[in-house]
């Protein structure tokens, strides 16, 4: 599976090319925090069935991390509440 983006800043489209399925194109229209959180949810919904696991997963619990808005950025957070990291970490 390969992936890529067609621009460095929004608006952009991420293309996910699974080896045995059609390419998925996921748009990100703006760069607001709410849009980034929604985009992270959309990517998870697209990737989880393809991979057969929830991504990204918490290193402590193995459950899917949830994208959460915090001030001016988005962080991944464990539903158990004891693990958090910046998107991209």
């Amino acid at each position: 599976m390969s992936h890529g983006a067609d621009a460095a800043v929004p608006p952009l489209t991420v293309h996910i090319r699974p080896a045995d399925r059609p390419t998925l194109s996921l748009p990100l229209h703006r760069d607001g925090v709410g849009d980034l959180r929604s985009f992270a949810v959309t990517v998870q919904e697209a990737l989880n069935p393809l991979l057969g696991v929830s991504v990204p997963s918490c290193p402590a619990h193995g459950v899917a991390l949830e994208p959460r808005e915090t001030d001016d950025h988005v962080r991944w957070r464990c539903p158990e509440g004891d693990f958090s990291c910046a998107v991209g970490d």
Side-chain angles (χ1 to χ4, degrees):
M1 180 180 337
S2 66
H3 56 82
D6 63 4
V9 296
L12 61 89
T13 302
V14 172
H15 305 284
I16 301 170
R17 296 180 187 97
D20 59 346
R21 298 185 189 198
T23 298
L24 300 169
S25 296
L26 306 172
L28 173 59
H29 300 288
R30 297 186 305 252
D31 59 355
V33 175
D35 290 332
L36 293 174
R37 192 199 68 74
S38 295
F39 183 72
V41 169
T42 300
V43 171
Q44 283 181 310
E45 290 172 349
L47 288 179
N48 292 350
L50 287 174
L51 299 174
V53 296
S54 296
V55 292
S57 61
C58 174
H61 304 103
V63 298
L65 296 176
E66 299 172 346
R68 299 286 177 101
E69 296 175 37
T70 58
D71 300 322
D72 61 345
H73 57 281
V74 178
R75 295 187 61 82
W76 292 116
R77 183 169 171 92
C78 177
E80 300 291 325
D82 59 349
F83 178 81
S84 178
C85 68
V87 170
D89 283 355

